[in-house]
Structures are given as structure tokens and as C-alpha cells.
């Protein structure tokens, strides 16, 4: 092989690989799901008792974990069922792949935030909570998760701020009990 051929071959080996489009999919909730969430969030913030709030919150969670995209929905179902008792904590590789493929899907980030929380990786969990809230600012689960992390870290003021934000959305969260200064949920009729 001539010197010229060796140089060309070496240049090809050292050249950056061509950029190929990734597998990332744009995700956006359907208009129907968005409208349904808006109604449910209005109902949740106006709930008059814990049982009603729990039912409404469950309906919200069902929309979050069952997106309209059938491929995405199947992958989320796989992650949630594959973990068994360990849940998402054992599914980080699948969750990472989900986020890589659907970076706009808020619940993917929340799943990983939950997994990191369960594994005690609080800073990683907080970073994923930020990503979740960037995509769904009303995510009371992410906000209450943030409050739990700050509480565990002894950052009482930050924990109180996070739980207050969560309670503005879901006034009957069980995590309220960690903050006696907030008192009982509001009485509404």
C-alpha cells in the first residue's frame, strides 16, 4: 500500500462519522387527551375530598402512562410491567431508550426520575424532574417527588416550596402529612 493510500485510509478512519438521523420521535398529546387533561386538572384542583381527588388523579395518571401513540404506549407498559416488585428502578436501560426515542414525552422523564429516586440517586432524579416539569408543569407527581427528595436531604424550605406547588394542583396529596405547618387539606363544598 502506498503512502498516499495509507494517508487516505487513515483520514477516513479518523474522520467523524456522518450524522444520521436518530430514532427520536416527536411526541405531542392528542388534542383530545390535552383537552381531557385540562378538564381533569380543573376538577382536581377543585376537589372537595381525598377520595374524589384520588379518582381524578388516577384518571390523569392513566392518560400520562397510556399515550395515544400505540408504540409508545406499548413501551411504557413494558417498562411498568417488566420491573415486577422493583418497578421502574430496575428498568433504567429501557427508560433511557424510551427517553432517547421520545424526548418530548414527560412521563418518560418522570419514570426515570422515579427510578433514580428509588435507587437513592437524588441528584439524577432532580434533574429528570426538571425535564418532566419542562414538558408538563402540572405534574404533581414530579413536584411531590421533588419535595420528598428535598425533605430527605434536609432542605426544608425547598421541600416546602415544592410540596406547596404540588398541593396547588392536587390538594389532597398524602405527602402533605410530612409538612404539619401546612395543616389539613382545604375544606370545600
Amino acid at each position: 500500500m502506498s503512502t498516499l493510500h495509507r494517508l487516505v485510509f487513515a483520514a477516513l478512519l479518523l474522520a467523524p462519522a456522518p450524522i444520521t438521523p436518530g430514532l427520536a420521535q416527536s411526541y405531542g398529546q392528542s388534542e383530545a387527551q390535552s383537552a381531557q387533561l385540562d378538564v381533569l386538572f380543573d376538577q382536581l384542583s377543585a376537589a372537595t375530598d381525598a377520595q374524589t381527588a384520588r379518582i381524578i388523579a388516577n384518571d390523569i395518571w392513566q392518560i400520562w402512562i397510556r399515550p395515544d401513540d400505540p408504540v409508545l404506549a406499548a413501551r411504557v407498559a413494558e417498562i411498568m410491567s417488566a420491573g415486577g416488585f422493583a418497578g421502574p428502578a430496575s428498568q433504567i436501560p429501557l427508560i433511557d431508550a424510551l427517553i432517547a426515542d421520545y424526548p418530548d414525552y414527560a412521563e418518560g422523564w418522570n419514570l426515570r426520575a422515579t427510578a433514580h429516586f428509588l435507587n437513592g440517586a437524588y441528584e439524577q432524579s432532580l434533574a429528570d424532574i426538571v425535564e418532566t416539569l419542562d414538558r408538563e408543569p402540572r405534574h404533581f407527581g414530579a413536584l411531590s417527588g421533588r419535595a420528598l427528595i428535598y425533605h430527605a436531604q434536609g432542605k426544608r424550605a425547598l421541600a416546602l416550596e415544592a410540596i406547596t406547588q404540588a398541593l396547588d394542583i392536587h390538594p389532597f396529596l398524602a405527602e402533605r402529612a410530612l409538612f404539619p405547618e401546612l395543616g389539613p387539606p382545604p375544606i370545600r363544598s
Side-chain angles (χ1 to χ4, degrees):
M1 185 181 275
S2 73
T3 304
L4 180 58
H5 285 109
R6 285 187 190 135
L7 289 173
V8 169
F9 184 70
L12 289 172
L13 287 176
L14 297 174
I19 298 173
T20 56
L23 298 176
Q25 305 288 317
S26 177
Y27 172 74
Q29 288 174 330
S30 69
E31 286 184 30
Q33 278 192 330
S34 291
Q36 189 177 8
L37 281 172
D38 290 343
V39 168
L40 289 169
F41 276 111
D42 287 344
Q43 292 173 349
L44 181 60
S45 66
T48 58
D49 60 82
Q51 182 178 355
T52 301
R54 192 171 29 257
I55 291 167
I56 296 166
N58 185 55
D59 290 344
I60 292 170
W61 280 108
Q62 293 306 307
I63 292 171
W64 283 342
I65 65 171
R66 291 192 174 104
D68 285 339
D69 180 322
V71 173
L72 176 56
R75 289 179 66 183
V76 172
E78 176 187 5
I79 289 166
M80 295 185 74
S81 64
F85 182 72
S90 65
Q91 300 304 307
I92 290 179
L94 289 176
I95 299 169
D96 287 344
L98 180 79
I99 290 170
D101 293 345
Y102 293 90
D104 298 330
Y105 177 54
E107 195 54 32
W109 294 95
N110 188 61
L111 282 169
R112 193 167 71 182
T114 302
H116 286 315
F117 174 81
L118 294 172
N119 287 331
Y122 292 155
E123 295 309 315
Q124 290 172 295
S125 182
L126 287 169
D128 285 341
I129 288 169
V130 168
E131 296 292 340
T132 302
L133 294 171
D134 282 349
R135 289 155 180 82
E136 176 50 87
R138 305 171 294 185
H139 204 297
F140 53 83
L143 287 165
S144 64
R146 180 186 280 170
L148 290 174
I149 291 170
Y150 287 149
H151 185 270
Q153 293 176 328
K155 298 176 181 177
R156 187 78 178 168
L158 291 173
L160 189 58
E161 180 183 336
I163 196 63
T164 301
Q165 291 171 341
L167 292 169
D168 284 345
I169 299 163
H170 183 335
F172 293 93
L173 286 169
E175 292 84 356
R176 176 189 285 274
L178 294 172
F179 303 90
E181 63 269 35
L182 294 177
I187 299 173
R188 298 182 179 135
S189 52

